[in-house]
Amino acid sequence: MSDSKVVLQDSKSGQAHELPVHQGTYGAPVIDITSLNKQTGYFTYDPGFVSTASCKSDITYLDGNEGELMYRGYPIEQLAEKCNFLEVCYLLLHGELPNVGEKESFENSIVTHTLINESLLNFFKGFHYDAHPMAMMTGVVGSLSAFYHDSLDIQNPQHRMETAHRLIAKMPTIAAAAYKHRMGEPFMYPQNHLNYCGNFLHMMYARPVEEYEVDPMAEKALDILFILHADHEQNASTSTVRLAGSSDANPYAAIAAGIACLWGAAHGGANEAVLKMLDEIGDVKNIEKYLAKAKDKTDSFRLMGFGHRVYKNFDPRAKIIKTICHQVLEKYGDDPRMELAMRLEEIALKDEYFIERKLYPNVDFYSGIIYSALKFPVEMFTVMFAIARTAGWISHWIEMIADPSKKIGRPRQLYTGPASRNVPDISQRG
Ligand code: SDX
């Protein structure tokens, strides 16, 4: 990182404090405030980390103004076109795309971990049939820490990589088991002759009583969606995994924390919220009414699938997903919600409120329409996001744990509570 410096002039003390500035490969330079408190006695204040870099990372970069996204330097558009999801998992984990031999041994390792411990299947029986699958994912993935707690030395690089392979391999199996539990259908075991997405579709939709053939288009669409959702630098759920993992917690528990955070409607839960919003809007003639609600500060309604903390241009993933939407709907039959979504996008992007705030469709705006066409119930949409994002989460966890300068994450605060006071006797309390 090339360094320069800034000078902080303290008007109170009259003192000037020099702070180093680091410049990464791309992106805004950062003011290094690690010595700020020692030098000046000040903390910084940045709720939501709007202007704060929490770490340095080699994994993913996104340019919010240009609407560009790259994993380990490769543009997302090229990865979506030329790679499959497991190649991208390898890239995120190792920093380079696999060659033929590396790809084969990575795939072989993943398939050896697709089964889950038989006793884990009993966990699902503890949930009501209508439990939200993200609740089941959070609980069951967190419970994996009970199965591997003793065979896991997080300071051992081989143990870290084996954990990554286990999680990437088991997420589809656990997700499909959650779906089968909701459907009251028998759990389907992985078929390791199938590829990653085909195996997942088989576990989701096959039944013991009939043949099931994986649809190549569904498999390809899913593989691209998983690539697009695999990582996104320091988003809320990845930051959650880093913070939870910074205490040297079991990585399965840290990933479960990421799943819990992703579930929020402001984050990965938005894909489910978009479909529910489109169903609520119902017809093009209601768009203006709902845009008015979205702009009304007294109304909690927001245009789900729109806006982003970093992208102030089109989310490049949304552009690719929109194209896949048209291809998928051409094969599986139209969905009136696609027309509604496109009209909503068209009208919103001409509206001053959205233009002024640079609010564009994000990754969640169209993805649900594809998942619907592939017969996934709306409650499973965020689970799909979690399957894909596990690759990013565990790559960031490894990057953090392997960093010799790692410190436990422990933010400070601006205390605005009561000044010191004595405890009154209960008879004196008002
Ligand atoms: C994901 O971080 C990542 O990388 C996330 C993600 C990933 O891959 O990990 O990309 C995945 O989470 C995508 C985002 C999915 N969420 C949604 O689609 C929910 C709807 N979007 C909003 O909730 C919002 O846009 C956020 C949460 C995504 C971003 O919120 P910010 O950055 O905190 O922005 P903000 O709330 O400060 O909004 C700035 C202004 C505000 O208006 P003013 O106070 O300036 O008048 O824009 C308005 C907001 O009210 N605004 C919206 C809006 N999003 C922002 N108004 C109406 N509808 C919206 N969707």
Side-chain angles (χ1 to χ4, degrees):
M1 296 189 285
S2 61
D3 288 353
S4 55
K5 64 182 179 230
V6 290
V7 176
L8 186 65
Q9 184 65 42
D10 184 344
S11 57
K12 208 168 149 191
S13 68
Q15 282 189 309
H17 302 280
E18 283 193 357
L19 292 167
V21 170
H22 305 313
Q23 175 61 58
T25 313
Y26 297 120
V30 297
I31 299 172
D32 183 335
I33 57 168
T34 45
S35 65
L36 180 76
N37 183 248
K38 204 181 283 177
Q39 268 185 259
T40 69
Y42 288 109
F43 291 134
T44 58
Y45 179 68
D46 185 16
F49 310 114
V50 177
S51 305
T52 297
S54 61
C55 64
K56 63 182 170 70
S57 177
D58 300 341
I59 299 174
T60 292
Y61 175 70
L62 44 125
D63 183 323
N65 295 323
E66 298 304 318
E68 291 167 1
L69 168 61
M70 56 177 80
Y71 298 159
R72 301 285 192 178
Y74 292 109
I76 194 70
E77 295 80 3
Q78 294 186 35
L79 292 170
E81 187 192 332
K82 300 178 178 175
C83 298
N84 69 23
F85 176 63
L86 284 185
E87 285 177 275
V88 170
C89 290
Y90 185 98
L91 171 68
L92 290 170
L93 286 169
H94 296 281
E96 296 299 338
L97 284 164
N99 60 33
V100 174
E102 289 159 339
K103 180 178 174 185
E104 194 180 332
S105 65
F106 182 68
E107 287 171 345
N108 291 340
S109 173
I110 294 297
V111 293
T112 61
H113 291 295
T114 52
L115 275 173
I116 54 177
N117 189 302
E118 278 293 295
S119 49
L120 255 182
L121 292 177
N122 298 324
F123 279 63
F124 293 96
K125 296 188 177 86
F127 292 104
H128 282 184
Y129 78 92
D130 60 352
H132 195 289
M134 282 298 279
M136 292 192 251
M137 294 298 290
T138 306
V140 174
V141 172
S143 72
L144 288 175
S145 48
F147 290 84
Y148 303 109
H149 196 84
D150 301 332
S151 63
L152 177 59
D153 168 7
I154 62 172
Q155 301 311 328
N156 178 329
Q158 281 71 34
H159 285 201
R160 292 199 292 261
M161 200 47 79
E162 188 177 38
T163 299
H165 291 196
R166 276 195 174 117
L167 277 160
I168 291 168
K170 293 181 192 310
M171 283 297 280
T173 308
I174 295 168
Y179 172 72
K180 287 301 197 186
H181 178 69
R182 282 172 61 84
M183 300 301 286
E185 290 183 5
F187 168 69
M188 294 303 291
Y189 286 92
Q191 295 295 314
N192 287 341
H193 66 279
L194 297 171
N195 66 29
Y196 190 83
C197 288
N199 210 351
F200 175 52
L201 288 166
H202 180 271
M203 288 187 281
M204 282 287 295
Y205 299 124
R207 293 188 180 97
V209 293
E210 58 203 7
E211 286 305 308
Y212 174 82
E213 200 170 318
V214 174
D215 175 343
M217 174 172 232
E219 198 175 15
K220 181 62 183 165
L222 214 43
D223 198 80
I224 294 175
L225 282 169
F226 282 175
I227 289 173
L228 299 176
H229 286 81
D231 194 50
H232 216 236
E233 59 158 79
Q234 306 310 320
N235 59 85
S237 53
T238 300
S239 299
T240 300
V241 171
R242 279 181 172 262
L243 189 57
S246 73
S247 71
D248 292 346
N250 183 295
Y252 299 95
I255 297 295
I259 295 173
C261 176
L262 184 75
W263 192 6
H267 189 15
N271 55 17
E272 176 177 348
V274 166
L275 258 286
K276 289 179 175 168
M277 174 187 74
L278 292 174
D279 287 340
E280 187 183 336
I281 295 173
D283 188 287
V284 173
K285 69 177 185 304
N286 298 326
I287 287 179
E288 288 300 345
K289 181 178 95 178
Y290 278 86
L291 284 183
K293 282 170 62 69
K295 297 187 283 189
D296 176 357
K297 294 303 172 196
T298 63
D299 192 323
S300 62
F301 176 82
R302 282 202 159 182
L303 205 54
M304 301 315 279
F306 257 74
H308 198 276
R309 173 62 60 76
V310 179
Y311 288 125
K312 302 307 170 192
N313 197 326
F314 269 92
D315 181 329
R317 303 167 296 177
K319 284 189 200 171
I320 299 171
I321 291 172
K322 189 175 174 182
T323 308
I324 303 172
C325 265
H326 290 300
Q327 295 161 3
V328 166
L329 294 178
E330 211 170 288
K331 168 158 187 180
Y332 297 107
D334 210 0
D335 181 339
R337 291 173 298 195
M338 181 66 184
E339 178 58 31
L340 180 58
M342 291 196 300
R343 286 286 294 134
L344 181 57
E345 173 190 338
E346 186 191 335
I347 296 168
L349 293 185
K350 289 180 186 146
D351 184 293
E352 198 41 49
Y353 174 94
F354 290 85
I355 295 169
E356 190 189 313
R357 291 166 181 79
K358 299 182 178 178
L359 303 176
Y360 289 86
N362 59 48
V363 67
D364 295 306
F365 191 59
Y366 287 105
S367 55
I369 291 173
I370 298 180
Y371 291 140
S372 272
L374 301 182
K375 302 289 180 264
F376 288 98
V378 68
E379 294 76 18
M380 285 293 288
F381 290 4
T382 311
V383 173
M384 313 296 285
F385 199 149
I387 292 173
R389 187 53 57 90
T390 295
W393 288 331
I394 199 66
S395 299
H396 282 272
W397 175 79
I398 288 174
E399 182 177 68
M400 174 186 68
I401 297 291
D403 180 349
S405 66
K406 173 183 90 66
K407 296 173 84 64
I408 187 170
R410 204 286 187 202
R412 306 308 295 266
Q413 63 171 11
L414 176 67
Y415 175 68
T416 53
S420 176
R421 51 187 173 160
N422 296 318
V423 175
D425 183 78
I426 191 158
S427 59
Q428 304 300 315
R429 293 175 204 161

